[in-house]
Amino acid sequence: MVSESKHNLTHLDQLESEAIFIMREVAAQFEKPVLLFSGGKDSICLVKLAQKAFWPAKIPFPLMHIDTGHNFPEAIEYRDWLVKEVGANLIVRYVQDSIDKGTATEEKGPNPSRNTLQTVTLLESIEEFKFDACFGGARRDEEKARAKERFFSHRDEFGQWDPKNQRPELWNLFNGKKQKGENFRVFPISNWTEMDVWQYIYKENIPLPTIYFTHRRDVVFRDNMWLANSPHITLMKGEEIQNKIVRFRTVGDMTCTGAVESTASTLEDIIQEVASARVTERGSRADDRRSEAAMEDRKKQGYF
Amino acid sequence: MEIQEKEQPIDNAAYLNMDLLRFTTAGSVDDGKSTLIGRLLYDTKSIFEDQMEAIEEASTKKGKGYVDLSLLTDGLRAEREQGITIDVAYRYFATPKRKFIIADTPGHIQYTRNMVTGASTANLAIILVDARHGVIEQTCRHSFIASLLQIKHLVVCVNKMDLVSFSEEVFQKIKTDFENFSATLNIPDIQYIPISALLGDNVVEHSANTPWYKGASLLYTLENVHIANDRNHEDARFPVQYVIRPQTEDFHDYRGYAGTVESGIFKPGDDIVALPSGFKSKIKTIDFNGKHLDIVHPPKSVTFTIEDNIDISRGDMIVKENNQPQVSQDVELMVCWLSDKKLTLNGKYAIKHTTREARCVIKEIKYKVNINTLEEIKDNFEIGLNDIARIVIRTTTPLFFDSYSKNRATGSLIIVDEGTNVTVGAGMII
Ligand SMILES: Nc1nc2c(ncn2[C@@H]2O[C@H](COP(=O)(O)OP(=O)(O)O)[C@@H](O)[C@H]2O)c(=O)[nH]1
């Protein structure tokens, strides 16, 4: 038996319990939930929490990955390993399919981002499977527009988010009632900070995709950050490929996720680096820097 | 303002041992709430360079001669454009002692609704008072809401002390006024701190400008306020959230009841009763992530297995045989109305109480509260947005509850409009 006799739970235990509570609430209140799996550390944490929430049963909902086609191969490799490891069902839907169908149009330019197109494929997939609740790994500390986000975020039948029409959330009473065609985005780790996520990964010893750790990589300096060289970016005049020792703070599209120069090779190293970081992790995403209200616009259209 | 470098490498062992304090901030418009929160975030080094650059830019655009820390906590674009804030926003910071979650509830028309929402999960409330204006109607209102929501700790921050020359008399007068009026409120712990959110006096460090003030700084107070005993450790309550039945080879007959321990303590071997059936049994194991725990405290999410094969499902409650909640279909409560659509007497609504759902009819409106004077209004029963009233409801199935003052988790419920599915009321059972 494990002694848990400490009177007060630590903050991380409380956050964990809160997240598990939310996940069970969704499993109970909704008919077809799905966990949106991006391959990043936040959604990896969600998978861990879901395992704990339903142990000894398997996770009672599928994971879904919206594949932009611009993913880091290491992230895909990790995804396939994880799904096997936890025995989850994985659904993959491709942005390329939406482009081929003509429902999404590729951006022009030297590093076309498919982040906005992801929304189209996501909404099409929600429609296809009739999902009524989608778990996301977003946190309120990530960005200003998220600070007021609910745990249960209501979306209308067009998948849109109306900041003026969100339900107040009191105590731990979550109202998931909805009309036909409407759905919810649910964010179990809303109250976690970037540091909480890292500490949890450390405490639970959760394996991560290798790109979070230091490695050598061909990169190009653009928009004030190091972008990975890949078949998806076109070199512009004056740009040159350099080989650097880097790691990534987030896992996103290869075309817009900036690398940081770092020699952090362990979780402890990363935690020290995060603790002394002077730029938010979103600061290393090109698409968020396009405008101050970028995130808010994408949210309204149904992106997470 | 200089960007601060975070030099301190973090201590993992300490971080994993931190405890959590949730607090809410209240004050009327321009009392300095945004500035204070910005100051706390800034002084605890919770602001990143890109965020700082963004607010520096915004401050310059607005023609401010200094970096306006209040811009840090300013939210959605529509609000930015209108220059108002309309909702509850959550902010985070940590010191080596504690992690903090701030429910930032900016003052405006919908203020009561927002503050009730923010206060529902808070351990502590900061009430801001402008030193130049003293205790005003809003101060009373905010304190009343804090007491209604059973917040056990209040910190009255007398702000803008720099504008009254850090005068002890001004501070003392406000303190006395507040003490006089708050005597009727049921708040066990009230502290008073003279501060300047703008300049930082007594926010993190004790200020040399207030040598007459012998108390602690605000941050020290937040770090050290004792909250461990605020939780109800007496009345063991476990609302069943979800039934886990793996039906795999290894766990063929496993039937686990998943939920969160809302209050009290459970151990394997405890004699329990399942409500509403009244069937008795014993806790066999308390499972969490493949381990059996020998004791569990609130608010931990776990899974119980029990000795006997009795029928328990979501919405039921597992309690101890010798300590049971009230069971009734007639429930009296204080309600805060959250919607533009008025409460209808004899109207039918859906409710959520613990993990239980039911329908209810509003049987009686006893009185409405004038939240500025705390008087009971008995000649006007129109309950609209931001109103607080005492009502009686009858539910379709019995609820298992404790009074809100004894137990926040089993004493609270929400009222949902059956047409729109919107949460329209927040109820606290008497
Ligand atoms: N002199 C002085 N001004 C302050 C202080 N705190 C806030 N202010 C100013 O009061 C105004 C309103 O502050 P703000 O934080 O926006 O108030 P809120 O509406 O409560 O969020 C701003 O111009 C602040 O700079 C203080 O301690 N001293």
Side-chain angles (χ1 to χ4, degrees), chain A residues 48-79:
Chain A
K48 183 75 187 178
L49 291 161
Q51 275 185 286
K52 289 194 179 196
F54 302 102
W55 185 92
K58 290 260 158 70
I59 300 173
F61 36 78
L63 315 188
M64 182 163 77
H65 181 218
I66 302 300
D67 190 334
T68 59
H70 290 175
N71 293 292
F72 288 94
E74 295 91 334
I76 300 292
E77 202 176 295
Y78 177 90
R79 176 195 76 190

Side-chain angles (χ1 to χ4, degrees), chain A residues 227-257:
Chain A
L227 286 180
N229 185 29
S230 75
H232 315 297
I233 74 169
T234 319
L235 283 196
M236 291 193 290
K237 233 178 126 178
E239 287 181 343
E240 54 171 339
I241 302 287
Q242 297 184 45
N243 192 265
K244 292 264 173 199
I245 295 177
V246 296
R247 65 175 205 89
F248 292 87
R249 287 177 70 188
T250 63
V251 171
D253 245 17
M254 285 188 92
T255 56
C256 62
T257 306

Side-chain angles (χ1 to χ4, degrees), chain A residues 21 25 191 196 278 280, chain B residues 15 49-50 92 99 241 314:
Chain A
F21 180 86
E25 210 47 32
N191 274 334
D196 293 331
R278 299 172 69 216
T280 57
Chain B
Y15 193 94
E49 190 174 349
D50 49 338
Y92 305 85
K99 153 147 179 160
Q241 216 187 344
R314 174 175 167 86

Side-chain angles (χ1 to χ4, degrees), chain A residues 202-217:
Chain A
Y202 171 70
K203 174 174 162 260
E204 300 288 324
N205 203 9
I206 302 173
L208 289 182
T210 53
I211 64 168
Y212 277 112
F213 301 97
T214 184
H215 58 283
R216 276 199 165 274
R217 181 180 289 269

